[in-house]
Amino acid sequence: MNNLGDFVVIIVLLMNLMMLSSSRIRTCIRIVAGQGILIGCMPLLNDFHLILPGMVISASLSIILKGFVFPWLLFRAVQEANIKKEVEPVGGYPLSLLIGVMIFALSFWLSTRLVYTKPLVSHLAAPVSFATFFTGAFIIVSRMKAITQVIGYLLLENGIYLFGAAFLSEQSLLVELAILLDIFVAVFVMGIAIFHISREFDHIDTQKLSELKDSIISKQDI
Amino acid sequence: MYLKIAQFILILILSPFLFGVINRTKAFFAGRKGSPLLQLYYDIFKLLRKGAVYSTTTSKFFIAGPIVSLSAVLTALLLIPFAGQPALISFDGDIVLFIYLLGLARFFTVLAALDTGSSFEGMGASREVQFAMFVEPALFLSLAVLTRITGQSSLSGIFSNARMSSWVTYDPLIILVLGALFIVFLAENSRIPVDDPNTHLELTMIHEVMVLDHGGVDFAYIMYSAGIKFWLFGTLLVGIFLKGYSCGQVTASVVFILGMILLAVIVGIVESTLARLRLLKVPHFLIVALALAIVALIISMR
Amino acid sequence: MQIVFYSLTILIVSGLLALCLNRFFKPANFIGALGAISGCIVGLISLFIVYNNPASAVLTIPWTVPYGSLSLAMDNLGILFLFLIFIVSALSALYGMESLRCYSGKKNIGSLWLFFNLLIASMVFIVLARNAILFLLAWEMMAISSFFLVVFAGEKKAVAKAGLIYLIATHIGTLFLLVMFGLLGNSSGSFDFSSWKIAPSGFMPSIIFLCALIGFGTKSGFMPMHIWLPETYPAAPNNVAAVLSGVMSKTGIYGLIRILTFLGMPCSWWGYLLIAMGIISGILGILFALAQHDLKRLLAYSSIENIGIISIGMGVGILGMSTHNPVLMVLGFSGSLLHVINHAFFKALLFLGAGAVLDKTQTMEMDVLGGLFKKMPITGISFLIGAAAICGLPPLNGFISEFLIYLAAFKGILGAGSIVFVSLGIIAALALIGAVAVACFTKVFGIIFLGQPRSVLSLEARDPGILMRISMLILAFCCFFIGLAAPFMVNGFAVIIAEVSGTQMMIEYTLAEVIQPLRYIVSGSLLLYGFILLLVFIRWLLLRGRRIESALTWDCGYAKPSPKMQYTASSFAQPIVNFFKGILRTKKHASKINEYFPDSFGFKTETADLFSEKVFNPMLKSVHDLTEKLTWVQHGQLQIYILYILFTLLALFIWKL
């Protein structure tokens, strides 16, 4: 058993929970950046002879992107859009935290049903990667602000990467790189979109975007 | 048997000392000289020499509160192993008795507070029972994790030195459990960031305010039971740390006591560097302990 | 065995006699109560005789009812439940002899005693019956007599409504029992219990179990079949409420265990289902209890919580049975059986204590009471013991039964697979229930008995008369005593568990494993008492000859504290109620303040039942709407109705011929 791998994976899990319970957007960005760096290091935790040069390159690329470039973009968006600090979860922090724990329980159960070759880094990698994925999805669903939804996407991506990294196959890393590119574009676009939304509406509350839909009442008014 | 009784008496004598260590540490961080290390002993002896003043509102129940609380805490102390040695009473499931004895102490403290008819004390009592709602499950689940790791459902079994080999392989779990237990420890001993043992300001107070109207011998009982409660929960933490450590009986005892003192220093550091949480945030903090314990339990099911 | 009949005869004859003497309040009251008490005592004697001579435990008398036979028997399971029924009923009757005097000149006391004694008799019959028809008759008798007891007190609309809800709920339950017995009888061709020894196979046991769970669960008050319970208990007179909650709800548990013995090896999902229902009942029950202001309503919800704990224990036992884990089985069943006994005692005690408070203050609204401990010390002390016991605190009886279930869960956690998840859930749920129960009962005791009187209502209170005090003190002593005698009692459960599970060998072995911890707990309890005595002595020694003064409660410098400034029950519970606002849905009503110096201000909270509000009312409403569309069938013309009958007959002919 690889104790160091276990440690890293558990820290990744704890970061998910921290993300669910923290109330500041800046903290959330830092957490997701830290998580990106940690997960980026995952493939390098294996035995030395198993590490291929391609992996080192892709790992360092993802560390640079997720650990530094994305946070920088997000911080800029927060600053320029003049976003308030609070995260505003639906249903309160304690509930989100408990849901996070339940997500982990579910992922653990799912991973026991999965038939897979033994992972090399840590036996917890599969459940934690599922949990990270679902936590990201949960954040996207339960948070009001566009920027926290971007953070949710990043978390989701971290989950996918962790899964690939844990099972250490060349192909999955290729897929991962492609996803990374997608996410990169997404973050870029979202950053611009957030900036524009905030300039137009003075807020980035996605719930209020629903005001944009055609409403019968307003037509009657006209 | 005699040795165990001697250990029990040793704990009875030693436990108030730790409060002196905490206060010294805090004084050090504040740049003060601080009160003597034996301050709690002085306080207790001073209180024991006093007469008594009772509120006209209170009934006889008010006196019963501190007596039953201290008795419950003392009985709980009988279940606690010392330095890896089994406790005086140990049996399968004594974890439950341990936690419920503390529940008994809480029940009587809360009722004695309500007996005064004071709003402040009612407020403190109300908060105390609210926080217990988070702390008790967290404590139960943390101990359940330890039970699962060691295969033992008694406190002495969990903390005995005999089963080290299984201990090491569970490192990451132990850290989670330690985190959960430390939060429980801070909450149950009403330390910062859950409660502030020094203030009597009504907005911040939980435990201190419940005992506002007690004085004399009754208050001495309360202070002493606070000291012992600190030892009870401290043993759980230090016991986990020193689990893998094995040596002679005497050395183990000395190391254990040093560990408790170190824990007191850590608490002092925590108290000097952290601020008390906003009251509404406290449940949130306590739920973290619950979440850690549950995560640890799930992981332990590998 | 025949002696039980003497007891039943005494019960029924004295009830009828009391009814005849209806016009004279005192003799009717006296004869009714005396009949109940002496009937119960004779019954207890018969239990003793049968226990020592098990050969006399079976009785079969020919009977002309179709499919029925008057076959009765008393086994150890039955003796346990009969023991509870006799003791709690006798004490409630003793209490009632005094407390019912308040109806003098207002109500027909004779009818109350008739139904009270019939209720006891029917419960005894339920436990004795060994034939489905007999069982159902007794069951129906119990439902009817308890219905009349519930509606006895009220002119009020609320009481009538409570009675109606009860009547409907209990009959829905009976319907399921009918189906269940039908299925059991169908597969074996007879309605005698003795002919059901061979377990049915296939899906049948599961369907029978589900019917039993709904039918008996309705009587016991499992969530979500509990909705009648918080309405009914508060409406009933106090000594009746003690019997309803203390023992009548346990007949459901008895029925469930009895049916289990016919079903052979249980499926493990029954255990999971019972545990899940128990956890839901336990947590929601105690949370709703905490949110109540009316003491009797609170106690009713707390009954649901305790039934939940019993159900968790039973679930663990069944799980142990189906997975061939004797430790789980023994711990689960013995914890659940012990909790049945414990709950009967402390809940009856709390209802009687509440009755004493109601008797003297005329209110059950906690927020207007206060400071009663000084005025009614005996009631206060027995209520305190009941409250501490129901929270499961050592060294009282409630702790022992909860301990056994906890221990089962701790043993389960060492296993593998889904049982670990279940054990985790049980531990977390029991811990949460325990903590909220402490909050709930510190609120009850602290607000009602401690502090200062909050209104004039509690100024005149004093301890009730000797009969009420004695019955409360005996129950309190039982709580105290079981806490110390638990190892012996659990030892006695070995036979019962063997009867239920049908296995013998393992039980003796595992019981030893179970009893060992209990012995330690008892020694711990004795040490606790020792410490208390020691500390009392030290305190007395130190304070001897010193000055003891009185002063005001510290009031932060405020010069004129008034009793109204005390914390109220609602404010005490507010943090937890608020935390669970998503479940409890407490409604707040506050009057608006418009001026700078308002004369008065009102604030009220109420917590309606989640299931009645969200499940049953909408469901009933949709049924109502649906049936409304069928009103065209009702013409009010006789000819058309006869036409309907003709059509029905015709249809039946066509179907059958």
Side-chain angles (χ1 to χ4, degrees), chain A residues 51-60 170 173 177:
Chain A
I51 299 172
L52 306 168
M55 283 160 51
V56 178
I57 294 169
S58 78
S60 46
E170 197 87 27
L173 284 176
L177 272 183

Side-chain angles (χ1 to χ4, degrees), chain B residues 3-15:
Chain B
L3 189 71
K4 283 179 188 169
I5 292 174
Q7 279 171 353
F8 182 69
I9 292 168
L10 181 73
I11 299 171
L12 288 185
I13 296 169
L14 267 181
S15 49

